[in-house]
Amino acid sequence: MKFDLTNYLRPRLLALSPYQSAREEFTANGREMILLDANENPFATKLNRYPDPLQLELKEQIAAWKGVSIDQLYLSNGSDEFISNIIMGCCEPDRDQIVIVPPTFGMYKVSATTHGVGVVEVPLTDSFQLDVPAILARADASTQLIFIPTPNNPTANNFDLEAIRELVERFPGVVVIDEAYVEFSSNPSVIPWLETYPNLVVCQTFSKAQGMAGARLGMAFAHPDFIAFFNRIKAPYNINSLTIRAALEKLKAQDQVREQVKLLLEERSRLEEAFAHIPFIEKCFPSDANFVLIRVDDSTLRYQQLIDKGIVVRNPSKNLNCENTLRITVGLPEENTQLIEALLSLSKTL
Ligand SMILES: Cc1ncc(COP(=O)(O)O)c(C=O)c1O
């Protein structure tokens, strides 16, 4: 069945004439212009002008880095903003729904709910993998989107790539593959699949391996028609000048990012080995990310004991099939050593 994107975009938004900020068409060729169009303060600081609404300089470099064209790329104020954008853009409130695969990243449900959009939950299998037949069985005419984070949060594992491909091929709506942790993963990105699948959207972020969580910068990759739609509905200046500058610098420092990722993966192995010797850690789930999910005897108790020792981890035990789990981010080597020591000392007082 041929995929028709217009079936998945809200008609009233397709008809919208976007907010115009026309400055770039006059300044793009480098011509010096007197800018009296945007009610800014004319006294020059590095921040007195609005940023480029389409972030073209940054997008050119990200597009070259990721092997896509600029018209396949959209930048957002963190992936969180993009998740909100795509739900708002594709789902009619009080009619449409999204599919999520719990235990999964919490913002999909929060965002859908704030937009008045329904949420269908299709649990992962016992080994935290996608249940493709169950997902396909639950999708119907009002199912616009499915969100698949891989590696998944909070479980930390990759989903099987062939299962993801089957979903992209057979799911009737738009499939969002959230690759927030892709730099840590042993699976490659599915960005090259964009050439084959017009219903695929991939998102990545500068918040994790790139070390820029405070700057809020997300990337979404999709068919140019989809990207053009996002550009029409977005807030005009959603990426600020400081973030654009910081990201341009970060792109020059990818060797350092690769080294940090390598070190963090080594540290993850060190943590996994240490966890095997802690009696109250019953299971350490396989991780393809910069965090590890463990099952303990009593997650509320262990969480509080770690807080008392000055270490904050996450207790995702309220998530489906995550009873008595803790989610632990891989920190600096000395932080990980302190965590291991804290866990060992708690074991002694068992
Ligand atoms: C799977 C997943 N997607 C997206 C995000 C949010 O990314 P951002 O900081 O770019 O909003 C997170 C953050 O924890 C995440 O785990």
Side-chain angles (χ1 to χ4, degrees), residues 99-104 108 122-136 146-152 155 157-168 171 175-178 187 190 193:
V99 176
I100 61 171
V101 288
T104 191
Y108 310 134
V122 184
L124 296 176
T125 64
D126 290 346
S127 54
F128 288 149
Q129 285 294 323
L130 295 170
D131 188 344
V132 176
I135 294 169
L136 294 175
I146 180 167
F147 285 93
I148 307 288
T150 184
N152 185 34
T155 60
N157 61 308
N158 271 328
F159 295 134
D160 177 59
L161 273 179
E162 281 318 301
I164 297 176
R165 188 189 289 278
E166 188 187 352
L167 206 55
V168 178
F171 187 75
V175 179
V176 182
I177 304 296
D178 181 346
N187 275 351
V190 298
W193 296 8

Side-chain angles (χ1 to χ4, degrees), residues 58-80:
L58 178 56
K59 274 192 192 155
E60 263 172 31
Q61 298 207 22
I62 293 178
W65 177 37
K66 297 289 175 179
V68 297
S69 59
I70 285 189
D71 60 4
Q72 291 174 297
L73 171 62
Y74 173 78
L75 299 181
S76 56
N77 193 295
S79 288
D80 287 344

Side-chain angles (χ1 to χ4, degrees), residues 34-49:
I34 296 174
L35 300 176
L36 305 178
D37 59 323
N39 303 346
E40 299 147 331
N41 182 329
F43 292 98
T45 66
K46 285 188 174 149
L47 291 173
N48 66 314
R49 297 294 178 193

